[in-house]
Amino acid sequence: MSKLTAAIVGPGNIGTDLLVKLLRSDLIDVHSMIGVVKESDGLTRARDMGIPASHEGVDWLLKQDTLPDLVFEATSAKAHLANAPKYKEAGITAIDLTPASIGPFVCPAVNLDQLVEAPNLNMITCGGQATIPMVHAVSSVVPVDYAEIVASIASKSAGPGTRANIDEFTETTSHAIEKVGGAQRGKAVIILNPVDPPMIMRDTVFCSIPADADKDAITASVHKRAAEVQEYVPGYTLRVEPQFDEPRDIWNGMARVAIFLEVRGNGDYLPPWAGNLDIMTAAAARTGEQLALKRGN
Amino acid sequence: MTAAAFNPSAESPAKIRVTDSTLRDGSHAMAHRFTEEQVRGVVHGLDSAGVEVIEVTHGDGLGGSSFNYGFSAVDDVKLVSAAVDEATSAKIAVLLLPGLGTVTDLRMARDAGASVARIATHCTEADVSLQHFQAARDMGMETVGFLMLAHRIGPDELARQARIMVDGGAQCVYVVDSAGALVLGDAQARVAALVKEVGAEAQVGFHGHQNLSLGIANSVLAAQQGALQIDGALCALGAGAGNSPTEVLVATFERLGIPTGVDVQGAMAAAEDVVKPFLTRLPFADRGAITQGYAGVYSSFLLHAERAAERYDVPAHEILQKVGEAGYVGGQEDMIIDVALQLAKEKEKAAG
């Protein structure tokens, strides 16, 4: 079996959680962990796990005799915008966990097969990774004129970057619901809840569906897709069966399906309630592994 | 005895600016079905009575029209335009909840003539509002911060959140009793803490609900602690058991000798002749609404709980009680269905 090598840039909580996941992988060998702060906790953790680590940034990485096949960017949109051209020039594929959106949106359970050769792949948002598989599960059975998602996350799991630019979440996720999920029009809402102990990530997906939609076919498609996501996010579960509402005038005569999800994190480095962060690192790791499988031969 | 003699504290009390939210918080009670004609009528009545600020938006703010919160009959921007057209001196305000509405929505409202941006966050999450305050100030709008479900944290912690909003560009920060759960001294202490923390640079406001019938009393205490902006709604039209009725607020303040600039007869006429005839539901402290005040539940959840109760055949007040225990915050309307489904499941199990 052929493996790919990968560096992680950004040794924060996300980068460390990703490292734990990649160390378990049979398809990825971790090349190095890259940061910019000397002796940072994240770099120390990586070294303790036996991984070469440097605080000298991407320039250090690109000077190495052997370059990785992949780089996982777990820094910020600004840093990725600066780093992306360097990766490209060096022939390294970037899997981008920031909101930079340089490359196409990727959701492993939906559209990864079409993006195997892309030099840069964007992981959308946590809410996008959780909900787009469900929107797509519905839109592959019936036309979805409008899909709306509500992501509720624990306040503690929302970092300063998310908080300073929360519009980026709603706008990027809405866009990806259309582009990847297959809805004509998308809308996304994010709610931060400070309750203690912290709440596990919850996502609700509403899709408008035709009045005569085949409910059994939609339900079957939702279950099938949820099982596919569970392959890489074990804590991804449907809380209840999809809920169907009859057509209403205020919905332009359309009916509605509502899908209730819980995303419990794997507890690799981040705690289980941070399912929003876990699904990002799990989706990124899955993307890397799939590239290894598909490019390997 | 003069009216001013009723006021135990101030010698010459500061003027209170009343913001009327009939056309925003009242949107919840109307299931977001306001028509342009209703908006014009209410704005005309309030503006004629001398109300200085009128809020017009979907109950959940700009971008609120959705499956989760209810679709608007008429687009917010269209209603804002109509309100701006109808008002002769009142400013038109809009509400925005970061995470739901965006700066793009705010810009559209500003272009339609809205001049006051009210940015609302859960009381512990003030830092998600900074990009919106910045954008509002850059657009030349007046800014107001809304710290919702203010009963969930203590006065000092609330004041620290108000500080974040003021440093980010808020010109006023409200103690927002979204659950109608603050009981007298609770409201008083929170307003006092905010005045102490930000009073030198910004105003402090109070937004009350009637779930425990304390909207007016809490507003009076707030004013006595130095709040300078107070919210009301005609006929109390708002979420839960409604808001502090604007017509009662201005009458009470006049009796206390606290100037509001609003004509009491004009406000009463607007409530009686304009709003009351179109009400589909008179705000009332029924079992569901009292449970909200008692258990500290976001008032806007009431109609959603009633709908889920009907759909899944479980009592609305039990749903609301559970929602309170879970600590759900504004915007988590989807969790009401989730709770109703759990209750239905438990009921089924109990039945055998």
Side-chain angles (χ1 to χ4, degrees):
Chain A
M1 194 186 295
S2 70
K3 287 186 166 190
L4 292 183
T5 56
I8 301 171
V9 177
N13 292 337
I14 301 265
T16 304
D17 193 77
L18 181 60
L19 175 59
V20 176
K21 287 181 167 64
L22 294 181
L23 287 175
R24 275 201 303 264
S25 172
D26 298 329
L27 295 164
I28 305 272
D29 273 332
V30 181
H31 173 280
S32 53
M33 172 70 93
I34 317 296
V36 289
V37 179
K38 206 175 175 179
E39 302 305 318
S40 73
D41 290 350
L43 292 176
T44 306
R45 283 191 300 257
R47 278 194 201 102
D48 290 347
M49 290 186 237
I51 299 302
S54 167
H55 69 275
E56 293 173 60
V58 170
D59 293 339
W60 176 88
L61 176 67
L62 298 175
K63 276 194 306 217
Q64 300 309 299
D65 293 337
T66 315
L67 295 179
D69 301 304
L70 308 173
V71 59
F72 289 91
E73 182 89 56
T75 54
S76 64
K78 198 177 161 195
H80 186 58
L81 286 169
N83 293 338
K86 299 180 191 171
Y87 302 143
K88 196 174 175 191
E89 202 187 318
I92 304 172
T93 297
I95 297 174
D96 172 21
L97 288 86
T98 79
S101 301
I102 294 173
F105 293 141
V106 60
C107 181
V110 178
N111 67 339
L112 185 54
D113 290 349
Q114 303 146 34
L115 299 170
V116 175
E117 299 305 325
N120 190 313
L121 296 127
N122 180 265
M123 299 310 302
I124 319 177
T125 60
C126 60
Q129 289 300 338
T131 60
I132 287 167
M134 295 296 105
V135 174
H136 192 261
V138 180
S139 76
S140 35
V141 179
V142 289
V144 173
D145 289 351
Y146 173 70
E148 176 183 312
I149 72 102
V150 183
S152 293
I153 64 171
S155 294
K156 272 188 177 173
S157 68
T162 304
R163 288 168 177 275
N165 195 353
I166 203 159
D167 281 11
E168 206 163 54
F169 174 94
T170 51
E171 284 163 355
T172 303
T173 310
S174 305
H175 190 48
I177 288 168
E178 298 165 5
K179 214 167 156 107
V180 186
Q184 279 290 314
R185 199 160 62 80
K187 181 178 180 67
V189 175
I190 183 167
I191 309 288
L192 309 186
N193 183 314
V195 78
D196 194 43
M199 65 169 285
I200 292 168
M201 186 199 203
R202 296 294 314 271
D203 296 273
T204 302
V205 179
F206 297 105
C207 293
S208 79
I209 54 174
D212 62 352
D214 181 343
K215 292 174 188 169
D216 293 340
I218 292 172
T219 299
S221 178
V222 163
H223 278 285
K224 182 166 173 279
R225 193 61 60 89
E228 285 164 19
V229 179
Q230 273 162 14
E231 286 176 18
Y232 58 96
V233 189
Y236 186 86
T237 46
L238 292 168
R239 294 267 301 176
V240 289
E241 290 296 306
Q243 299 290 304
F244 292 92
D245 283 277
E246 293 304 309
R248 290 187 197 168
D249 290 343
I250 56 165
W251 298 343
N252 297 324
M254 303 296 277
R256 181 182 88 173
V257 59
I259 300 160
F260 296 86
L261 300 161
E262 180 177 279
V263 184
R264 182 183 291 268
N266 209 38
D268 290 327
Y269 175 69
L270 299 158
W273 43 262
N276 51 315
L277 306 178
D278 182 80
I279 199 169
M280 282 298 270
T281 56
R286 175 74 163 192
T287 300
E289 291 185 328
Q290 293 292 311
L291 294 184
L293 280 174
K294 304 215 158 112
R295 287 182 184 177
N297 301 310
Chain B
M1 194 161 87
T2 64
F6 284 102
N7 185 343
S9 56
E11 288 162 20
S12 131
K15 177 178 168 288
I16 296 293
R17 186 174 88 174
V18 172
T19 293
D20 184 276
S21 189
T22 310
L23 298 172
R24 201 281 305 167
D25 214 319
S27 170
H28 290 297
M30 296 289 288
H32 316 292
R33 311 307 290 165
F34 275 126
T35 64
E36 186 177 330
E37 192 191 349
Q38 288 166 345
V39 166
R40 284 184 179 273
V42 173
V43 169
H44 179 75
L46 289 166
D47 183 67
S48 310
V51 172
E52 289 173 74
V53 183
I54 302 169
E55 189 176 45
V56 182
T57 332
H58 183 285
D60 296 275
L62 296 170
S65 180
S66 57
F67 274 131
N68 201 31
Y69 310 111
F71 287 99
S72 302
V74 183
D75 187 70
D76 273 343
V77 173
K78 206 169 169 197
L79 294 182
V80 167
S81 291
V84 169
D85 180 56
E86 198 68 37
T88 62
S89 57
K91 288 180 170 184
I92 302 303
V94 289
L95 184 77
L96 184 148
L97 277 65
L100 206 180
T102 64
V103 167
T104 306
D105 296 319
L106 188 61
R107 189 163 289 117
M108 282 170 16
R110 195 279 315 259
D111 291 346
S115 54
V116 182
R118 307 217 300 175
I119 313 295
T121 73
H122 182 65
C123 59
T124 55
E125 312 298 315
D127 59 356
V128 299
S129 64
L130 304 183
Q131 74 179 128
H132 309 86
F133 280 122
Q134 187 62 52
R137 292 292 289 270
D138 289 347
M139 287 184 238
M141 298 179 87
E142 185 188 325
T143 52
V144 172
F146 245 47
L147 291 169
M148 300 190 291
L149 286 172
H151 72 281
R152 293 261 173 98
I153 53 175
D156 293 342
E157 210 183 334
L158 194 68
R160 283 194 289 276
Q161 294 289 316
R163 164 57 58 196
I164 293 170
M165 284 187 162
V166 170
D167 289 349
Q171 293 165 300
C172 172
V173 181
Y174 268 66
V175 173
V176 180
D177 186 14
S178 319
L182 293 176
V183 177
L184 304 174
D186 302 333
Q188 201 170 21
R190 281 166 179 75
V191 170
L194 263 64
V195 169
K196 190 173 163 215
E197 175 62 38
V198 301
E201 302 130 85
Q203 295 191 347
V204 173
F206 181 77
H207 175 98
H209 275 274
Q210 292 284 69
N211 302 339
L212 298 177
S213 295
L214 295 172
I216 299 287
N218 284 339
S219 297
V220 168
L221 291 169
Q224 289 175 342
Q225 291 300 318
L228 294 172
Q229 298 190 28
I230 303 284
D231 282 7
L234 294 169
C235 297
L237 192 65
N243 292 100
S244 317
T246 299
E247 62 279 17
V248 185
L249 266 181
V250 297
T252 305
F253 280 135
E254 188 172 308
R255 276 286 170 259
L256 285 167
I258 299 174
T260 64
V262 181
D263 173 49
V264 174
Q265 293 300 331
M268 290 197 291
E272 190 75 18
D273 304 336
V274 182
V275 173
K276 208 170 158 200
F278 69 62
L279 288 185
T280 48
R281 168 196 184 98
L282 200 59
F284 173 69
D286 58 11
R287 189 169 186 175
I290 300 166
T291 302
Q292 292 186 301
Y294 182 68
V297 180
Y298 200 63
S299 293
S300 324
F301 287 179
L302 183 61
L303 265 67
H304 295 272
E306 288 176 2
R307 277 183 220 120
E310 196 183 336
R311 160 95 201 255
Y312 296 107
D313 193 25
V314 286
H317 67 92
E318 282 186 27
I319 298 175
L320 291 164
Q321 184 71 36
K322 283 250 183 210
V323 164
E325 286 163 11
Y328 291 133
V329 303
Q332 293 189 287
E333 272 73 349
D334 52 328
M335 292 299 117
I336 292 168
I337 305 175
D338 187 79
V339 167
L341 282 160
Q342 285 174 48
L343 286 170
K345 219 187 262 178
E346 285 168 21
K347 200 172 140 184
E348 208 173 286
K349 250 186 223 159

